[in-house]
Amino acid sequence: MSENPLQLIVHRMTWEAEGVLSAELTHPDGKPLPAWTPGAHIDVHIGGHIRQYSLCGDPYDRGTYRIGVLDEPSSRGGSRFVHTQLRPGQSVTVSVPRNHFVLEDAASYVFVAGGIGITPLLAMAREATRRGAEWRMVYGGRSRASMAFTAELSLLGDDVTLVPQDERGHIDLDAALTRLPGGALVYSCGPEPLLAAVEERCPADRLRLERFAAPTVERTGENGEFEVECRTSGLTLRVDAHTSILDAAESAGIAVDSSCRDGICGSCETRVLDGTPDHRDFLLSDAEQSAGATMMICVSRCASGRLVLDL
């Protein structure tokens, strides 16, 4: 599913809050960048890793991609590289933007952000304002100083409630999510405990989530073995009960873009040419999973005994 990557230049880096750096990326020749819509992210190749960062700038600015990166010392290396080694003037490889967190048309919106989860929601709030739609946001963080982009949010409207935990405790989700306006959609991004709490309080058909990590899911039964024909590579793989399709493909020498290996980032999304996937990702919508046109091969398996994939 991957397209040709882009080689961009780090134009500017800015402290947006304690522990949060933004990086603005531009084309070295000043060319316009591929278009994107609010909720989109890019894969960034940094420090030997591929990491996903939501675009938090302005989609109408075709000359710049902006990402916001939280410094996480316990991370697998991406954020630490951005904070300690990435600097203006350096070249960086990124993917064309992908969007599995689309801002759908709605009469109104409620945005619930936790920490660095503000990044996709900032672009959404800006777009909702452009559309003339009613919206409100509740945004929680550890402290006021750690909450990024608050000045930009204040320019978009006054229906933004900041909830610094050290001052006000946790977000009052009951107040935020009860008596939703008719036709309103709820968009939320942040740490898993916040998203789980939002899910408990919001009808599934009104809720759109983007996760940083895969939730724990109890699965019954055992995984079965199945066959995967990799049509492009001309190879047929036998995937055993303890191996993912991604691992089997890599062991066979097939190059596949991947990052999270938890079914949340979309890097390994692969076109299904035949067969029925057993979807186990946390990214595709119910409708997309039912259609079976693509699958995340890091976690999803086979429900039909055999798959034919565009690998």
Side-chain angles (χ1 to χ4, degrees):
M1 295 291 292
S2 62
E3 300 182 52
N4 291 333
L6 307 169
Q7 292 294 328
L8 304 183
I9 298 294
V10 180
H11 173 65
R12 180 186 293 114
M13 299 184 74
T14 305
W15 285 107
E16 305 292 352
E18 288 181 357
V20 180
L21 267 175
S22 69
E24 296 179 19
L25 312 176
T26 60
H27 194 282
D29 298 327
K31 296 179 180 178
L33 302 177
W36 61 281
T37 55
H41 72 260
I42 55 174
D43 298 339
V44 183
H45 298 245
I46 45 175
H49 306 280
I50 301 176
R51 295 291 178 261
Q52 290 72 43
Y53 297 105
S54 296
L55 292 171
C56 58
D58 186 345
Y60 287 79
D61 176 5
R62 293 292 302 277
T64 305
Y65 289 160
R66 184 177 68 167
I67 58 174
V69 182
L70 172 66
D71 187 11
E72 298 181 276
S74 61
S75 75
R76 291 179 291 176
S79 71
R80 281 271 75 201
F81 185 91
V82 170
H83 277 257
T84 62
Q85 298 186 53
L86 192 67
R87 295 294 180 264
Q90 293 180 358
S91 177
V92 62
T93 301
V94 308
S95 71
V96 170
R98 293 198 306 272
N99 199 344
H100 287 285
F101 193 42
V102 176
L103 184 68
E104 302 170 24
D105 287 331
S108 60
Y109 303 95
V110 177
F111 301 117
V112 182
I116 198 64
I118 188 61
T119 49
L121 301 185
L122 173 61
M124 289 185 177
R126 186 180 290 113
E127 178 61 22
T129 300
R130 279 202 179 102
R131 295 179 186 180
E134 293 184 0
W135 63 272
R136 54 186 168 88
M137 176 183 289
V138 57
Y139 171 20
R142 295 188 313 277
S143 66
R144 196 174 296 271
S146 73
M147 298 170 69
F149 306 116
T150 56
E152 289 184 41
L153 283 169
S154 69
L155 298 176
L156 297 178
D158 57 4
D159 205 355
V160 178
T161 301
L162 301 182
V163 187
Q165 186 176 340
D166 61 348
E167 298 175 24
R168 301 182 54 184
H170 294 291
I171 295 172
D172 185 348
L173 292 175
D174 291 324
L177 298 174
T178 54
R179 297 186 299 275
L180 291 174
L185 290 179
V186 177
Y187 281 80
S188 185
C189 184
E192 184 57 32
L194 172 66
L195 300 189
V198 170
E199 281 186 301
E200 290 177 0
R201 292 165 172 82
C202 188
D205 63 339
R206 309 276 291 275
L207 180 60
R208 308 291 184 266
L209 300 177
E210 183 165 70
R211 287 186 150 88
F212 296 151
T216 301
V217 177
E218 295 289 339
R219 297 192 184 276
T220 59
E222 296 182 357
N223 291 334
E225 295 188 0
F226 57 93
E227 186 176 87
V228 176
E229 177 188 340
C230 303
R231 180 66 56 84
T232 305
S233 304
L235 299 175
T236 297
L237 312 176
R238 193 70 189 170
V239 181
D240 66 38
H242 306 291
T243 304
S244 69
I245 300 173
L246 174 60
D247 288 339
E250 290 179 336
S251 295
I254 301 172
V256 183
D257 287 342
S258 67
S259 178
C260 73
R261 295 181 179 262
D262 287 326
I264 61 169
C265 78
S267 294
C268 68
E269 185 174 7
T270 300
R271 206 154 55 99
V272 178
L273 304 179
D274 195 21
T276 305
D278 173 10
H279 293 288
R280 301 186 181 185
D281 66 275
F282 302 95
L283 197 61
L284 296 177
S285 67
D286 290 343
E288 289 170 329
Q289 290 190 353
S290 296
T294 67
M295 66 186 297
M296 307 303 165
I297 63 172
C298 62
V299 292
S300 296
R301 300 184 67 79
C302 177
S304 57
R306 188 173 190 275
L307 289 169
V308 182
L309 302 180
D310 185 14
L311 283 174

